[in-house]
Structures are given as C-alpha cells and as structure tokens.
Amino acid sequence: MTFAARLAALLTALLLAFPAAAQTGDIARGFQRFLETDIWPAAKARGVPRPIFDAAFKGVKPNLKLPDLQLPGDAAKVEENNFQAEFQSPSAYFNESAVAGLAARGRGLMATHRAVLSRIEAKTGVPAAIIVAIWGRESGFGAAKIPHNAFEVLATKAYLARRKEMFREELLAALDIVADGHLKVSEMRSSWAGALGQPQFMPSKFLAFAVDQDGDGRRDIWNSVPDTLASIGHYLQKAGWVAGRDWGFEANVPDSVSCAVEGPDKGRPIRDFVSAGVTRVSGRPFPANEVGATGHLMMPAGRNGPAFIATPNFYTLKVYNNSDLYALFIGHVADRMAGGGAFKGGWVQVEGMTRGDVARMQEKLVGRGYDVGGADGLPGFKTRRSIGDYEASAGLSPTCWPSRDLAARLK
C-alpha cells in the first residue's frame, strides 16, 4: 500500500471513529448531569449525606459494555443474541455433573447448618433444601466473586437501560444501604445486573427482606451464612410460599392434554390432570395432600422436553428470578438433595432461533390476536401456549415451541 493510500485509510478510520467518540463524550456529560440534577436531589430527599453521594460516584463513568443498554439515538430493538438458556438446549442448563455436584455440596452444607436452617424453616415455611439450592445457584454457596462496582452498574442502567425507572430506584436503594451503615462505598460490589451479596438481592430487596439471623445487629448477606439463609427464606415467605406443599412433580402428559393449557393462570385441581391421564414419571401417585390442591401444567420447552405439574410454589420461585428454567433448576436441585434422581424426560435439541427471531414471531402472533405476554424475544408460557393454539388452528400437531418452520409459516 502506498503512503497516500495508507494516509487515506487512516483518515477514513478517524472520520468513522469520530461520531462514536463524540457520542461517548455526549453520553459521559449527560451521565454526570443526570447524577447531579436527578439522582442527587432524590437521594438528598431520602436522607443520603452528600459525602456518601460524592464517594459513591467518585471516578464513576457509564459502563457501555453492560448488556441491555439503549444508547441515545438508537432505535429500540430486541438484541439478536442466542446466549440465554431459553435459546439453547435446556439440557446444558441442567448439566448432570453440575447438578449432581451442586446437590452433593448442598447436602453437606444442609447438615453443617442444620440447626439454623431448622429455625428458618419453622419460621418461614420454606424448606431448607430450597433455601440452600438458591444459595448455591446464586453465589456458589458464597464462593463466587462479585466483580462489578454496584454504583457504576446501577447508575449506568438508570441512565441508559431499557428499564430506567426500575434501575433508578435500585440506585437510590443502594445509596440508602451505605447511608444506613450496612456497607462502605468501597464494599458495594455487584453482578452485571446490580445484584448484591450471597443471595444476589437487588438493593431494594435487601432493604425489604434481608434478616439479621445471627443477632449481631447487622443484616449481613455478604459475610454471614445465617443472615444469608434467613434472608432467602424471608424473601420467599413474603413472595407467597405455601408451607407444606412441594414445588412440583415431573409428569407424563399424554397428547390428549394440550401443551397450550400451561401457565399460572390455568390452574386446576391436580385430580383433574390425573383424570385426564397425567401421571408422575416416578410411577407413584401424587401425594394425598396435593391431589385436591391447585396444580399447573408447566412445559418449559413445549413438547421438546420434560413436563411438570407445578404448584403455586413454582411461581413463587419465579418471583426470585423470573425464569421457568431457573425455578425448575432450584426445585430439581432441592429434590436431588433429598435423594431424587435426574429427569426422566429428555430435552430434544431444536434448531436454534435468536431472541430477535422469537420477537418477530411474537409480533406476528400478536397481529393475529394472540397474547404472547409482550414481544420481548423470550419464549415464556404465554408465547409457548400461543404457539400451541396457532399450531392447532393451522392443523399442525402442537409443539408449543418456536421454530424456523413455524416462523416461515407465519410470514
């Protein structure tokens, strides 16, 4: 390449980079204005001292590498990614060696902390195994490193995320945590989403549900195992956990029972499912105390994976993390701690679709009058059953799962 050509290429690169650099500078200036003119007055009104505010944001800049941001001027759109477990074979989410290892370690920790867990279970009604399974999933029983500056994460998302109002409230709650003396500014580390401590509570959830179980005067979900376990139990109790009920049961669901009748709003007595031919994969009958109680069909991969009769407690687990696979993972690990085995039903590998693909399919279903729960690209229960209803109306065998063939048919 000649000198002239190299110079031209360099100038072109500089010109292309200039708008991005200018935008970054604009974002940084707008971010500082946002902190000073919006967050500070709100924090001051909540009693946060100015020195704490200044310490929290000293050197903090917007972190544009965080996911789910919408930069100024960018059109709102669903990201074209395929990283969530919902878009891959869920079998990877339930990797047998990982599940077995987590359950084995959880059993040991349940024995170690049996006394405190018994007190928590008696007070909250939440089984010890469920509490320990969440502890293991969220932070590897407290061993996981929490890498991010919580104020950087929450402030960036309060300024640039799609759910700005939610993160604004979480940012103010984080300032309250420091102002109330729970942690120093330097100790406020979080996940990329702003979650804190061993149970990975968002700041507002810490303020609402954290418990001082060890009696030292602090609600310490960072270093205290009793506080961590009690806080998880209290969270689930307040979210509606029904004492004495299981979370659910893996089931055989005949084709005569449509996969489109799943969901928390489609509950019916479990005996009705039994009358329709649904059985437990274990071969045992449903427990006597469950047969007359409400159950819900739950098929997280449609006909491409195991099926379950879930109780309302399954949906309480989703309050902790709004994912069918997350709630199923917690329930399954808890069962494994109690001696249960692997799922009987297998996960069928389906040709992957991106989140953007699913969002476009949802938009087409909405246009046809179906309630998919929002075109967010996530195949939740409303999307799954809408797909099943559409498939049935089109004379297809319902799968209740997005596919490229179905997307082509909807065009």
Side-chain angles (χ1 to χ4, degrees), residues 167-338:
F167 284 106
R168 179 182 183 275
E169 183 58 34
E170 296 298 344
L171 177 58
L172 292 169
L175 288 166
D176 287 340
I177 289 172
V178 177
D180 291 345
H182 296 288
L183 282 185
K184 298 176 183 177
V185 165
S186 61
E187 296 171 324
M188 287 288 284
R189 310 298 295 175
S190 77
S191 71
W192 62 264
L196 309 171
Q198 295 188 39
Q200 286 290 274
F201 280 3
M202 293 301 287
S204 64
K205 298 300 186 287
F206 170 86
L207 294 174
F209 302 121
V211 171
D212 173 22
Q213 179 68 27
D214 59 19
D216 68 352
R218 297 183 64 217
R219 296 184 289 167
D220 185 0
I221 62 171
W222 294 270
N223 304 296
S224 169
V225 170
D227 288 6
T228 294
L229 299 176
S231 296
I232 294 170
H234 187 226
Y235 187 123
L236 292 177
Q237 178 192 27
K238 293 302 183 182
W241 186 273
V242 180
R245 294 202 68 183
D246 210 314
W247 68 269
F249 310 88
E250 188 180 358
N252 298 308
V253 178
D255 290 342
S256 57
V257 176
S258 173
C259 55
V261 299
E262 77 160 310
D265 54 346
K266 299 286 186 179
R268 64 190 68 181
I270 290 178
R271 68 165 65 94
D272 289 0
F273 287 109
V274 174
S275 297
V278 176
T279 61
R280 291 179 66 184
V281 298
S282 66
R284 298 190 297 273
F286 288 92
N289 70 306
E290 295 284 4
V291 172
T294 299
H296 309 264
L297 180 63
M298 203 275 293
M299 303 180 76
R303 290 284 180 185
N304 298 304
F308 304 86
I309 297 300
T311 78
N313 284 338
F314 175 85
Y315 296 100
T316 297
L317 291 174
K318 285 189 65 176
V319 175
Y320 203 100
N321 183 320
N322 189 25
S323 161
D324 287 335
L325 293 184
Y326 175 89
L328 182 57
F329 185 92
I330 296 304
H332 183 54
V333 170
D335 287 350
R336 296 289 287 270
M337 289 183 196

Side-chain angles (χ1 to χ4, degrees), residues 74-146:
D74 287 355
K77 63 180 181 179
V78 174
E79 292 185 66
E80 295 285 344
N81 66 53
N82 201 37
F83 301 120
Q84 285 101 335
E86 287 83 356
F87 300 106
Q88 304 171 25
S89 173
S91 60
Y93 198 88
F94 296 96
N95 176 275
E96 177 55 25
S97 62
V99 170
L102 199 68
R105 190 171 176 208
R107 277 192 297 273
L109 289 167
M110 281 179 64
T112 300
H113 302 290
R114 180 175 290 113
V116 70
L117 283 165
S118 294
R119 291 193 293 272
I120 295 166
E121 186 168 348
K123 185 174 183 178
T124 66
V126 182
I130 290 288
I131 293 171
V132 172
I134 289 176
W135 183 30
R137 180 65 182 176
E138 293 296 340
S139 65
F141 308 108
K145 295 186 182 299
I146 311 297

